Amino acid sequence: FLLSDTFIFSCFLISYMTVRITTTVPWPNPSEVFALSFGGKPIPLILIAIMTFVLITSSGTMALAVNFGYRKNKKVTVMLMLATALLGATFVGMQAFEWTKLIMHEGIRPWGNPMGAAQFGACFFMITGFHGMHVSAGVIYLSIIAYRVGSGYYDRNKRGNYETVEIAGLYWHFVDLVWVFIFAFFYLW
């Protein structure tokens, strides 16, 4: 599953780079498009920096959850998995805020963009939306696994094997890694 998703995200990002390099219309400046105003002054990429911090922090809580899962410490494993899910949900909420700002206030749409190349909106919404869908699915998956750990499901049915926590962790780290590439290509390039 992760391998197929790797190919899909790779194709999306390579296509994005191809579109961006070949378009003749100027590409929007990320520092302007993704700036938030505080006190009347725009702060470039502040929301994106916070979103990235939240997602990278969630990777740390997930790594700790896997560690405590192998130690068979159910309580701490559940708390860390739920913290990871909460951070993921926070990320998705901030992404929804970002999309609302871009659509309602900046006029960026998948079919057009007043700030430059029309392809920007299509690429941005497709790739970040696909990633956001994966984060949302991960939040649900982590919540289910945390419930199962807390209820003793793995103790009863898997003879105390918490391997599923590690599998959930691999998925979550993959989602985080993909964000690093999206961050680099959309917000820094």
Side-chain angles (χ1 to χ4, degrees), residues 53-181:
F53 177 78
V54 165
L55 210 54
I56 298 301
T57 301
S58 76
S59 195
T61 58
M62 189 65 228
L64 288 171
V66 170
N67 184 303
F68 281 97
Y70 278 115
R71 293 182 192 183
K72 305 208 185 319
N73 187 331
K74 286 191 329 187
K75 183 178 179 183
V76 175
T77 301
V78 168
M79 288 187 336
L80 287 166
M81 289 187 77
L82 292 176
T84 303
L86 179 63
L87 289 165
T90 301
F91 175 87
V92 172
M94 287 189 285
Q95 189 175 37
F97 173 81
E98 175 191 38
W99 276 37
T100 302
K101 177 187 172 293
L102 293 175
I103 293 169
M104 303 301 286
H105 301 288
E106 307 295 340
I108 297 173
R109 307 283 193 278
W111 56 85
N113 173 22
M115 298 178 163
Q119 299 93 327
F120 171 80
C123 292
F124 177 78
F125 289 120
M126 183 192 65
I127 293 173
T128 60
F130 196 64
H131 179 263
M133 181 185 73
H134 278 74
V135 173
S136 298
V139 167
I140 294 167
Y141 182 53
L142 289 173
S143 299
I144 291 169
I145 301 302
Y147 172 78
R148 285 180 152 194
V149 168
S151 69
Y153 175 84
Y154 298 113
D155 295 327
R156 288 189 311 274
N157 300 323
K158 302 287 185 181
R159 294 185 180 95
N161 186 344
Y162 284 70
E163 194 173 84
T164 306
V165 175
E166 184 170 15
I167 292 169
L170 290 172
Y171 176 82
W172 196 256
H173 294 313
F174 169 77
V175 168
D176 287 354
L177 180 63
V178 168
W179 177 253
V180 170
F181 284 99

